[in-house]
Amino acid sequence: MRLRGVLFDFGYTLFAHAPLAVTISDCARRLGTELSDERATALAHRIDEAAMAPAELAHPRDFDSTVWADRWKVLYGIADEFGDGLGSSIYQSMHDPHQWIPYRQAASTLRALEASEIRVGVVSNTGWDVRRVFAAHSMATHVASFTLSYEVGAVKPDPRIFTVACESLGLSVHDVLMVGDDPRSDGGAVAVGICTLLLPPGHRGSDNGLGAVPRLVT
């Protein structure tokens, strides 16, 4: 079987951001506040827990860009008790295209697929336009389509988002490989009949195994 297309997850598959605790420390330092590693880590845990609380998950962040922005500003705003404007600074960092760094073999993998006439799509649960990240790193031209949850009204692992992503490439689910890092959300592609490869999430700039993808599909 020779596959004709590859769908990639965005965050922690092609690109990674610094850990939240590191981002908190860096933002605080720029604002003139020093936070110990322990305090920054504890604050990161508080924000993560708040983001996953049932009442918070009731807000359709991944379905609506306005809700996404409003809720993440509230969540990162938890950090304001340690300094005025800290929450806003964290929010800006998390949505700064240049703070999202590609994995070591991300660009070369996309180029290799393009050279082999393999169509590439990105499918992501998100409420902001991650196309800006690809553009900032001169990688947007290698991607044929972006299927973002807030634009299509479906969130992984819902089969519909994978079906839409395949259709955006003009391919059937049997012609495509899904590459991601999350067994639950990205693994949802299996239910649609899409061959799926899960890679280990790693630190930004590291080698997470993306280089195997062109060899697998060709």
Side-chain angles (χ1 to χ4, degrees):
M1 180 176 63
R2 188 182 190 280
L3 298 172
R4 298 168 57 202
V6 180
L7 295 173
F8 289 96
D9 174 49
F10 162 65
Y12 305 99
T13 297
L14 288 173
F15 293 85
H17 196 282
L20 181 55
V22 174
T23 301
I24 290 170
S25 294
D26 290 345
C27 291
R29 191 173 300 112
R30 286 195 294 270
L31 293 173
T33 300
E34 289 293 333
L35 289 180
S36 66
D37 291 343
E38 293 79 8
R39 183 165 288 184
T41 299
L43 178 54
H45 285 320
R46 282 178 57 195
I47 293 172
D48 286 339
E49 289 179 356
M52 298 306 295
E56 177 59 32
L57 291 175
H59 296 284
R61 295 190 306 242
D62 291 336
F63 288 98
D64 188 306
S65 59
T66 300
V67 176
W68 173 280
D70 289 345
R71 296 314 305 168
W72 281 112
K73 287 175 182 177
V74 169
L75 291 164
Y76 293 135
I78 294 171
D80 285 343
E81 67 182 75
F82 295 98
D84 292 340
L86 181 54
S88 177
S89 180
I90 297 167
Y91 177 89
Q92 291 173 12
S93 175
M94 295 302 297
H95 294 82
D96 180 349
H98 296 283
Q99 292 297 319
W100 286 89
I101 305 300
Y103 283 102
R104 188 177 304 166
Q105 298 184 69
S108 61
T109 294
L110 296 188
R111 288 195 299 268
L113 292 171
E114 184 178 43
S116 298
E117 299 184 343
I118 302 296
R119 293 181 64 77
V120 171
V122 171
V123 53
S124 178
N125 288 349
T126 186
W128 69 293
D129 191 354
V130 300
R131 296 177 185 86
R132 296 193 291 130
V133 178
F134 289 80
H137 295 277
S138 302
M139 292 167 59
T141 57
H142 306 305
V143 180
S145 71
F146 289 85
T147 304
L148 309 182
S149 62
Y150 79 98
E151 293 180 337
V152 301
V155 173
K156 296 182 291 185
D158 187 332
R160 289 177 296 169
I161 194 169
F162 298 107
T163 302
V164 170
C166 290
E167 291 173 348
S168 72
L169 295 179
L171 301 174
S172 79
V173 295
H174 304 296
D175 294 326
V176 172
L177 173 71
M178 174 67 202
V179 181
D181 68 287
D182 189 315
R184 181 178 181 276
S185 63
D186 299 318
V190 174
V192 191
I194 300 175
C195 292
T196 301
L197 172 67
L198 295 177
L199 300 176
H203 297 297
R204 56 183 184 168
S206 65
D207 181 359
N208 66 340
L210 276 168
V213 174
R215 296 194 297 273
L216 285 173
V217 298
T218 58

